[in-house]
Amino acid sequence: IMGSKMLTTKDGKYTNAVYGFLAILFKVLDDIKPDYIAVCFDKSRTTFRNRIDPNYKGTRAATPEELKGQFELIKDILEAAHVHWLEMEDYEAHDLLGTLSSQGVDLGMEVEIFSGDRDVFQLVGQNVQVFLTKKGIRDIEPYDNASILARYGVEPPQLIDVKGLMGDSSDNIPGVPG
């Protein structure tokens, strides 16, 4: 959505991300009809990983100005809709999703995670499925144990090792030479 024509309010506030986020949220609510729902956000660009490796995500561009103000608007909308959201200093959203999914499974729940971040693939497991949002609501791809194994040749928890060995340019993880 950010690459297309920019949506704005009458007073010039950007709303592309708000529109895209709400389109996905409404699709989830309409199609999945979850018993519980929570939305997780990154609180800042700096996390405990930066203390381990100061270069972590060091090559990422700054958040575009037109996107920055939209996160607070999304949170305001979620609060008005009584949808719980969370963020935590020192952690990324996918860390919170991992904790919540583990707690959900421990309580006997079927957990479904919707994200555009492939880092959540490592959370797939018994009673945890990930839906990768690739182009907003037009292209949502489900992943379970079998599809992770078919695509990557490893079990979901092994994706951590694969990423460490191969590296990841988007997170500025160098990988192992050779």
Side-chain angles (χ1 to χ4, degrees), residues 147-168:
S147 55
I148 295 288
L149 185 59
R151 180 168 182 162
Y152 296 100
V154 296
E155 297 290 330
Q158 294 173 303
L159 289 171
I160 300 165
D161 295 328
V162 170
K163 187 171 186 175
L165 290 169
M166 289 178 49
D168 183 341

Side-chain angles (χ1 to χ4, degrees), residues 24-176:
I24 293 170
L25 178 65
F26 292 147
K27 181 168 180 56
V28 169
L29 293 173
D30 289 344
D31 294 354
I32 306 295
K33 296 178 181 30
D35 293 326
Y36 305 96
I37 189 168
V39 178
C40 298
F41 293 95
D42 291 339
K43 184 156 179 84
S44 72
R45 292 179 66 98
T46 305
T47 69
F48 70 92
R49 290 175 181 85
N50 297 98
R51 287 192 300 280
I52 297 168
D53 179 1
N55 296 316
Y56 178 69
K57 291 191 178 181
T59 55
R60 287 222 179 148
T63 303
E65 284 302 316
E66 59 270 9
L67 182 59
K68 285 182 181 177
Q70 295 187 62
F71 292 113
E72 291 308 313
L73 184 53
I74 290 171
K75 292 171 188 174
D76 290 344
I77 292 168
L78 290 171
E79 286 179 13
H82 304 288
V83 174
H84 187 74
W85 63 268
L86 34 114
E87 62 186 12
M88 184 177 267
E89 197 67 51
D90 219 28
Y91 294 93
E92 295 181 41
H94 68 262
D95 297 317
L96 303 176
L97 290 169
T99 299
L100 292 174
S101 65
S102 178
Q103 291 173 343
V105 168
D106 288 349
L107 293 170
M109 296 179 182
E110 294 286 329
V111 176
E112 296 172 327
I113 300 170
F114 288 77
S115 177
D117 185 349
R118 294 174 191 272
D119 285 346
V120 298
F121 284 174
Q122 64 188 286
L123 304 176
V124 169
Q126 186 174 2
N127 299 332
V128 179
Q129 188 172 11
V130 167
F131 294 83
L132 183 67
T133 56
K134 292 164 54 172
K135 292 180 183 166
I137 60 173
R138 291 175 286 165
D139 193 1
I140 297 176
E141 192 173 347
Y143 284 87
D144 58 13
N145 277 328
S147 55
I148 295 288
L149 185 59
R151 180 168 182 162
Y152 296 100
V154 296
E155 297 290 330
Q158 294 173 303
L159 289 171
I160 300 165
D161 295 328
V162 170
K163 187 171 186 175
L165 290 169
M166 289 178 49
D168 183 341
S169 60
S170 70
D171 287 341
N172 200 30
I173 297 172
V176 176

